[in-house]
Amino acid sequence: MNANTSRQHPAEWDQDAQLLSQTARDLPMGRHQFHKERLMAQIHEQVQREEHTAATTAPQKARRFRLPRPAITLPAMAAALSAVVIAGMVTLGDGGTGLRDSGVATGPALTTDVGTASTKGVPQLLDQISLAAAEGDHPTVKPGQYIYIESVLADTFVKTVDDKSSLASHELHRRQIWESPDGVKGWLIDPAVNDSPEGETLSLPDEQGNTPKAHLGSPSYDYLTKLTTDPDALLAKIYKETKGQGNTPDQQAFTTIGDLLAESYPPAELYPALFEAAAKIPGVVVVDDAVDAAGRHGVAVARLDETSGQREEWIFDKKTHVYLGARNVQVKQLKEEGVLIKPGTVNFTMAIKNRAVVDGMKQAPSQAG
């Protein structure tokens, strides 16, 4: 899988080297992808910190197994070390006896038709989505309860076997995550990450003994309840707190909102404000036909990252305007790790199957009551 370099948080270069060495030697196989994502992010944010020494104090270290996301182009300073990280995590050598990619079967690269994008109708569509969000059933999460999100997802990545690289995909698989309102307790079942089919805890403190605070890149429900619901103020906060992340400020703002829609539980008052804020980001377009990971057709609110050539799409039901899922589609040809990624390649695809409030850890909605 590819790393999400906008997610995680700073560490010193010597710590990066120690983590890389320790990861390669000691970690259970199912944890390699998580630490790859964290290392890639630490590299990116160290570069960001050096370029923006006058910026405010960086957010606390992230602590969650976040949804995998396609890699973005890193600054040149980070590129060399990022290649080392990638090689250490996804390369299979010695006749295929090296580290495995994950517990999910692999197949050929995912592809799709590149739909037509247009700026026409963007405000109207986002208004309709915002109204639908405001009218939807959105219960408040109480202390002692858990937010449950079930999704299916797949991704395309560069796979290297004995120095030969090609595009491959992790096959569509189910992901279940539980999180307490304060973000301190959680559980994840995802065969692409876990060693055991039972999953593993996300409860804090983490493996390093840290109990980091929630922030925009890794929010808890309680954190989201404190965000402003004024779209202009909300968007200003997003730009401020993601300064220096991503390829451009506009793309990072769009991605940040998209991540909040995907695997968090925005309170009823905040949910419409997210769409109203998104409408103010330059470059947002509509894609009339987009398909989520579950095969459901919908209309997408999207934005093209000119640097990576990937178009990030949020997919909604055409009639009800309910959020279905998201995907990242390559629309401009790109070479990554010596492999050509052609237009139509689906770098990441996800569909939300269930999002609910439950009374116990590892309890599914069907078990409630």
mmCIF file of all heavy atoms in Angstrom, residues 25 29-30 32 40 68-69 99 145 172 188 208 211 219 224 236 260 263 279 294 303 309 323 336 342 363:
data_model
loop_
_atom_site.group_PDB
_atom_site.id
_atom_site.type_symbol
_atom_site.label_atom_id
_atom_site.label_comp_id
_atom_site.label_asym_id
_atom_site.label_seq_id
_atom_site.Cartn_x
_atom_site.Cartn_y
_atom_site.Cartn_z
ATOM 1 N N ARG A 25 13.438 -5.282 11.725
ATOM 2 C CA ARG A 25 13.907 -6.442 12.469
ATOM 3 C C ARG A 25 12.840 -7.084 13.329
ATOM 4 O O ARG A 25 12.726 -8.295 13.410
ATOM 5 C CB ARG A 25 15.064 -6.033 13.396
ATOM 6 C CG ARG A 25 16.338 -5.678 12.699
ATOM 7 C CD ARG A 25 17.477 -5.707 13.706
ATOM 8 N NE ARG A 25 17.144 -4.953 14.923
ATOM 9 C CZ ARG A 25 17.431 -3.668 15.102
ATOM 10 N NH1 ARG A 25 18.022 -2.996 14.159
ATOM 11 N NH2 ARG A 25 17.115 -3.062 16.236
ATOM 12 N N MET A 29 4.641 -9.036 11.347
ATOM 13 C CA MET A 29 4.477 -8.727 9.928
ATOM 14 C C MET A 29 3.293 -7.809 9.655
ATOM 15 O O MET A 29 3.348 -6.940 8.805
ATOM 16 C CB MET A 29 4.321 -10.021 9.131
ATOM 17 C CG MET A 29 5.576 -10.867 9.131
ATOM 18 S SD MET A 29 6.980 -10.033 8.393
ATOM 19 C CE MET A 29 8.176 -11.348 8.436
ATOM 20 N N GLY A 30 2.188 -7.984 10.364
ATOM 21 C CA GLY A 30 0.999 -7.203 10.083
ATOM 22 C C GLY A 30 1.118 -5.741 10.427
ATOM 23 O O GLY A 30 0.247 -4.952 10.087
ATOM 24 N N HIS A 32 3.850 -3.804 9.585
ATOM 25 C CA HIS A 32 4.805 -3.093 8.733
ATOM 26 C C HIS A 32 4.174 -1.929 7.991
ATOM 27 O O HIS A 32 4.748 -0.851 7.886
ATOM 28 C CB HIS A 32 5.456 -4.059 7.735
ATOM 29 C CG HIS A 32 6.477 -4.952 8.367
ATOM 30 N ND1 HIS A 32 7.619 -4.480 8.953
ATOM 31 C CD2 HIS A 32 6.491 -6.298 8.526
ATOM 32 C CE1 HIS A 32 8.319 -5.492 9.440
ATOM 33 N NE2 HIS A 32 7.660 -6.600 9.201
ATOM 34 N N MET A 40 6.993 7.447 6.686
ATOM 35 C CA MET A 40 6.881 8.336 5.538
ATOM 36 C C MET A 40 6.373 9.699 5.967
ATOM 37 O O MET A 40 6.838 10.744 5.509
ATOM 38 C CB MET A 40 5.939 7.725 4.500
ATOM 39 C CG MET A 40 6.499 6.509 3.794
ATOM 40 S SD MET A 40 7.732 6.950 2.558
ATOM 41 C CE MET A 40 6.671 7.581 1.273
ATOM 42 N N PRO A 68 -5.702 3.549 4.440
ATOM 43 C CA PRO A 68 -4.572 3.748 3.529
ATOM 44 C C PRO A 68 -4.941 4.754 2.458
ATOM 45 O O PRO A 68 -6.081 4.821 2.027
ATOM 46 C CB PRO A 68 -4.359 2.358 2.928
ATOM 47 C CG PRO A 68 -5.701 1.706 3.017
ATOM 48 C CD PRO A 68 -6.327 2.236 4.284
ATOM 49 N N ARG A 69 -3.953 5.533 2.032
ATOM 50 C CA ARG A 69 -4.212 6.510 0.991
ATOM 51 C C ARG A 69 -3.054 6.527 0.029
ATOM 52 O O ARG A 69 -1.935 6.204 0.391
ATOM 53 C CB ARG A 69 -4.417 7.901 1.588
ATOM 54 C CG ARG A 69 -5.579 7.975 2.566
ATOM 55 C CD ARG A 69 -5.855 9.392 2.956
ATOM 56 N NE ARG A 69 -6.167 10.174 1.764
ATOM 57 C CZ ARG A 69 -7.377 10.223 1.186
ATOM 58 N NH1 ARG A 69 -8.373 9.578 1.695
ATOM 59 N NH2 ARG A 69 -7.577 10.939 0.112
ATOM 60 N N LEU A 99 9.606 -9.851 3.485
ATOM 61 C CA LEU A 99 8.403 -9.401 4.172
ATOM 62 C C LEU A 99 7.188 -9.505 3.259
ATOM 63 O O LEU A 99 7.254 -9.184 2.087
ATOM 64 C CB LEU A 99 8.577 -7.949 4.619
ATOM 65 C CG LEU A 99 9.777 -7.646 5.508
ATOM 66 C CD1 LEU A 99 9.821 -6.164 5.826
ATOM 67 C CD2 LEU A 99 9.729 -8.469 6.777
ATOM 68 N N GLN A 145 -20.242 4.719 24.954
ATOM 69 C CA GLN A 145 -20.606 4.154 23.660
ATOM 70 C C GLN A 145 -19.399 4.195 22.714
ATOM 71 O O GLN A 145 -18.364 4.790 23.017
ATOM 72 C CB GLN A 145 -21.783 4.921 23.060
ATOM 73 C CG GLN A 145 -23.084 4.758 23.833
ATOM 74 C CD GLN A 145 -24.262 5.426 23.130
ATOM 75 O OE1 GLN A 145 -24.177 6.592 22.733
ATOM 76 N NE2 GLN A 145 -25.360 4.696 22.993
ATOM 77 N N LEU A 172 -10.259 -6.467 -2.617
ATOM 78 C CA LEU A 172 -11.310 -5.879 -1.801
ATOM 79 C C LEU A 172 -11.481 -6.681 -0.511
ATOM 80 O O LEU A 172 -11.594 -7.905 -0.530
ATOM 81 C CB LEU A 172 -12.625 -5.872 -2.590
ATOM 82 C CG LEU A 172 -13.784 -5.085 -1.979
ATOM 83 C CD1 LEU A 172 -13.504 -3.590 -2.065
ATOM 84 C CD2 LEU A 172 -15.087 -5.423 -2.713
ATOM 85 N N LEU A 188 -9.598 -2.439 15.946
ATOM 86 C CA LEU A 188 -9.570 -2.506 14.489
ATOM 87 C C LEU A 188 -9.511 -3.947 14.022
ATOM 88 O O LEU A 188 -8.711 -4.737 14.530
ATOM 89 C CB LEU A 188 -8.351 -1.763 13.939
ATOM 90 C CG LEU A 188 -8.109 -1.892 12.426
ATOM 91 C CD1 LEU A 188 -9.167 -1.125 11.642
ATOM 92 C CD2 LEU A 188 -6.721 -1.408 12.052
ATOM 93 N N GLN A 208 4.562 3.298 22.022
ATOM 94 C CA GLN A 208 5.652 4.100 22.577
ATOM 95 C C GLN A 208 5.268 4.759 23.912
ATOM 96 O O GLN A 208 6.020 5.571 24.436
ATOM 97 C CB GLN A 208 6.083 5.189 21.583
ATOM 98 C CG GLN A 208 6.870 4.659 20.384
ATOM 99 C CD GLN A 208 5.995 3.925 19.395
ATOM 100 O OE1 GLN A 208 4.903 4.374 19.062
ATOM 101 N NE2 GLN A 208 6.451 2.767 18.946
ATOM 102 N N THR A 211 0.069 9.158 24.689
ATOM 103 C CA THR A 211 -1.379 9.391 24.610
ATOM 104 C C THR A 211 -1.583 10.740 23.938
ATOM 105 O O THR A 211 -1.793 11.759 24.604
ATOM 106 C CB THR A 211 -2.025 9.384 26.003
ATOM 107 O OG1 THR A 211 -1.704 8.154 26.663
ATOM 108 C CG2 THR A 211 -3.548 9.498 25.897
ATOM 109 N N PRO A 219 -8.851 12.818 14.324
ATOM 110 C CA PRO A 219 -9.838 13.405 15.245
ATOM 111 C C PRO A 219 -10.614 12.366 16.039
ATOM 112 O O PRO A 219 -10.877 11.263 15.567
ATOM 113 C CB PRO A 219 -10.770 14.148 14.295
ATOM 114 C CG PRO A 219 -10.759 13.293 13.053
ATOM 115 C CD PRO A 219 -9.365 12.735 12.949
ATOM 116 N N LEU A 224 -14.278 16.705 17.392
ATOM 117 C CA LEU A 224 -15.104 17.242 16.316
ATOM 118 C C LEU A 224 -16.272 18.067 16.855
ATOM 119 O O LEU A 224 -16.714 19.020 16.205
ATOM 120 C CB LEU A 224 -15.636 16.104 15.437
ATOM 121 C CG LEU A 224 -14.576 15.334 14.627
ATOM 122 C CD1 LEU A 224 -15.221 14.172 13.872
ATOM 123 C CD2 LEU A 224 -13.836 16.250 13.664
ATOM 124 N N ALA A 236 -10.864 28.148 7.217
ATOM 125 C CA ALA A 236 -9.662 28.879 7.621
ATOM 126 C C ALA A 236 -8.835 28.047 8.598
ATOM 127 O O ALA A 236 -7.596 28.024 8.519
ATOM 128 C CB ALA A 236 -10.041 30.215 8.243
ATOM 129 N N LEU A 260 -12.328 13.317 6.923
ATOM 130 C CA LEU A 260 -13.325 13.430 7.992
ATOM 131 C C LEU A 260 -14.637 12.753 7.595
ATOM 132 O O LEU A 260 -15.354 12.218 8.440
ATOM 133 C CB LEU A 260 -13.570 14.897 8.338
ATOM 134 C CG LEU A 260 -12.390 15.651 8.956
ATOM 135 C CD1 LEU A 260 -12.762 17.112 9.188
ATOM 136 C CD2 LEU A 260 -11.945 15.001 10.249
ATOM 137 N N GLU A 263 -13.749 8.164 7.621
ATOM 138 C CA GLU A 263 -13.647 7.301 8.794
ATOM 139 C C GLU A 263 -13.610 8.115 10.077
ATOM 140 O O GLU A 263 -12.678 8.050 10.872
ATOM 141 C CB GLU A 263 -12.432 6.382 8.704
ATOM 142 C CG GLU A 263 -12.542 5.190 9.646
ATOM 143 C CD GLU A 263 -11.529 4.107 9.371
ATOM 144 O OE1 GLU A 263 -10.388 4.227 9.859
ATOM 145 O OE2 GLU A 263 -11.876 3.138 8.660
ATOM 146 N N ALA A 279 -17.200 23.644 -0.694
ATOM 147 C CA ALA A 279 -17.663 24.416 -1.849
ATOM 148 C C ALA A 279 -16.817 25.660 -2.080
ATOM 149 O O ALA A 279 -16.816 26.224 -3.185
ATOM 150 C CB ALA A 279 -19.123 24.809 -1.659
ATOM 151 N N ALA A 294 -17.974 -0.868 -3.395
ATOM 152 C CA ALA A 294 -19.047 -1.859 -3.348
ATOM 153 C C ALA A 294 -19.774 -1.984 -4.684
ATOM 154 O O ALA A 294 -20.748 -2.720 -4.789
ATOM 155 C CB ALA A 294 -20.034 -1.506 -2.245
ATOM 156 N N ARG A 303 -11.573 16.603 -6.817
ATOM 157 C CA ARG A 303 -10.544 17.610 -7.078
ATOM 158 C C ARG A 303 -9.290 16.912 -7.574
ATOM 159 O O ARG A 303 -8.876 15.895 -7.033
ATOM 160 C CB ARG A 303 -10.225 18.444 -5.843
ATOM 161 C CG ARG A 303 -9.410 19.692 -6.176
ATOM 162 C CD ARG A 303 -9.108 20.549 -4.962
ATOM 163 N NE ARG A 303 -8.572 21.841 -5.374
ATOM 164 C CZ ARG A 303 -7.313 22.037 -5.782
ATOM 165 N NH1 ARG A 303 -6.458 21.015 -5.809
ATOM 166 N NH2 ARG A 303 -6.919 23.242 -6.158
ATOM 167 N N GLY A 309 -1.270 13.901 -10.235
ATOM 168 C CA GLY A 309 -2.130 13.475 -11.333
ATOM 169 C C GLY A 309 -3.293 12.626 -10.884
ATOM 170 O O GLY A 309 -3.992 12.022 -11.702
ATOM 171 N N TYR A 323 -23.619 9.949 1.550
ATOM 172 C CA TYR A 323 -22.219 9.609 1.263
ATOM 173 C C TYR A 323 -22.063 8.103 1.127
ATOM 174 O O TYR A 323 -22.484 7.335 1.999
ATOM 175 C CB TYR A 323 -21.337 10.125 2.401
ATOM 176 C CG TYR A 323 -19.863 9.816 2.252
ATOM 177 C CD1 TYR A 323 -19.040 10.604 1.453
ATOM 178 C CD2 TYR A 323 -19.288 8.744 2.928
ATOM 179 C CE1 TYR A 323 -17.683 10.332 1.330
ATOM 180 C CE2 TYR A 323 -17.943 8.461 2.817
ATOM 181 C CZ TYR A 323 -17.141 9.256 2.017
ATOM 182 O OH TYR A 323 -15.790 8.983 1.889
ATOM 183 N N GLU A 336 6.080 6.043 -10.970
ATOM 184 C CA GLU A 336 6.406 5.928 -9.553
ATOM 185 C C GLU A 336 7.261 4.689 -9.339
ATOM 186 O O GLU A 336 6.887 3.588 -9.724
ATOM 187 C CB GLU A 336 5.132 5.843 -8.709
ATOM 188 C CG GLU A 336 5.399 5.746 -7.210
ATOM 189 C CD GLU A 336 4.121 5.710 -6.398
ATOM 190 O OE1 GLU A 336 3.119 6.311 -6.837
ATOM 191 O OE2 GLU A 336 4.119 5.074 -5.340
ATOM 192 N N LYS A 342 -0.861 4.471 -15.376
ATOM 193 C CA LYS A 342 -1.617 5.030 -16.489
ATOM 194 C C LYS A 342 -2.942 5.637 -16.020
ATOM 195 O O LYS A 342 -3.471 5.264 -14.985
ATOM 196 C CB LYS A 342 -1.886 3.934 -17.529
ATOM 197 C CG LYS A 342 -0.626 3.345 -18.147
ATOM 198 C CD LYS A 342 -0.983 2.257 -19.148
ATOM 199 C CE LYS A 342 0.268 1.650 -19.785
ATOM 200 N NZ LYS A 342 -0.066 0.578 -20.751
ATOM 201 N N GLN A 363 -18.869 -4.668 19.302
ATOM 202 C CA GLN A 363 -20.282 -4.964 19.077
ATOM 203 C C GLN A 363 -20.701 -4.412 17.722
ATOM 204 O O GLN A 363 -20.438 -3.260 17.397
ATOM 205 C CB GLN A 363 -21.142 -4.328 20.175
ATOM 206 C CG GLN A 363 -22.646 -4.572 20.006
ATOM 207 C CD GLN A 363 -23.473 -3.768 20.987
ATOM 208 O OE1 GLN A 363 -23.741 -2.595 20.775
ATOM 209 N NE2 GLN A 363 -23.864 -4.408 22.070
#
